[in-house]
Structure formats: structure tokens, C-alpha cells
Amino acid sequence: MGMEAIVAELRNWGCDVDGALERFLGDEELYVTCLQTVVVDPAFGELEAALQEGRIQDAFEHSHTLKGVLANMGLTPMYCINIKIVEPLRAGCADGLLTVYQELIESNNKLKSIIG
């Protein structure tokens, strides 16, 4: 898929591509290259491990890291899912968050398929 098609697909998915591109000074190629780094961010796996092991503070830190990355990259659909993880963890609750985490991973897989 070409650069224009990737950007269009991200917009159609609900991503704030325009806001992100402002931060990338309009460099679509650099933006997509950085997206390729996002999809393999170790914070995803670290978040899962922390949730599975009941390490709420660690899980919060990893989800909070992802919150910033997803916001800066304009990945609004993923950001909205991650918020449903960050806020309960901030309050010290991890109940049911592995299910929400699976939604986040499915969303990350969608991003992978868009950017190739």
C-alpha cells in the first residue's frame, strides 16, 4: 500500500493523522516509519505481563507510556481503548482489564495490517 493509501486508511479508521503530521512537520514517510515502531513497542507485552501477574503499578506505568505514544501518533482508536485500561489502574483496580487489553491488541493488529 502506498503512503497516500496508508494515510487515508488511518483517517478512515478515525486517527488524527493531521494532528500527528503537524508534529512530524508534514513528513508522512517519517510518520509511517514511526508507526512501524509503535506496533512493536515492548510496552504492549510488558502491560500484558503486569496485568497477568497482578502488578497494578507496573501495569499502570506501561499503559500510561502507551497513552502518550498513542496520543502523539494520533492513534485515536487505540488511545480510547487504552484509556479504559489506564484510568482503572490509576485507581488501583485491574478487574477485567485483560479483556480490554485484548481489544487493544486487536486494534494494534489492525494498525499492523494498515501500515503493512
Side-chain angles (χ1 to χ4, degrees):
M1 188 178 320
M3 200 66 55
E4 287 181 21
I6 290 171
V7 169
E9 187 76 22
L10 289 169
R11 280 191 182 108
N12 289 338
W13 186 29
C15 295
D16 180 19
V17 175
D18 297 324
L21 283 174
E22 282 182 29
R23 289 183 283 284
F24 282 83
L25 304 175
D27 189 335
E28 290 180 356
E29 189 172 325
L30 177 60
Y31 175 62
V32 172
T33 297
C34 289
L35 287 174
Q36 293 167 342
T37 302
V38 170
V39 296
V40 296
D41 192 310
F44 287 107
E46 292 164 355
L47 172 57
E48 179 182 29
L51 287 172
Q52 288 175 339
E53 296 166 11
R55 293 181 286 118
I56 292 176
Q57 185 59 38
D58 287 344
F60 172 75
E61 289 173 14
H62 297 305
S63 64
H64 196 266
T65 294
L66 287 170
K67 177 183 170 189
V69 169
L70 299 173
N72 282 322
M73 296 302 292
L75 298 170
T76 309
M78 295 177 73
Y79 176 86
C80 290
I81 295 168
N82 191 57
I83 288 294
K84 295 188 286 185
I85 298 172
V86 170
E87 293 310 319
L89 288 171
R90 185 187 309 274
C93 179
D95 296 344
L97 293 185
L98 277 170
T99 302
V100 182
Y101 172 80
Q102 282 309 122
E103 289 178 45
L104 183 61
I105 292 305
E106 289 169 17
S107 189
N108 194 37
N109 289 337
K110 178 170 182 153
L111 176 59
K112 285 178 188 176
S113 71
I114 291 172
I115 64 174

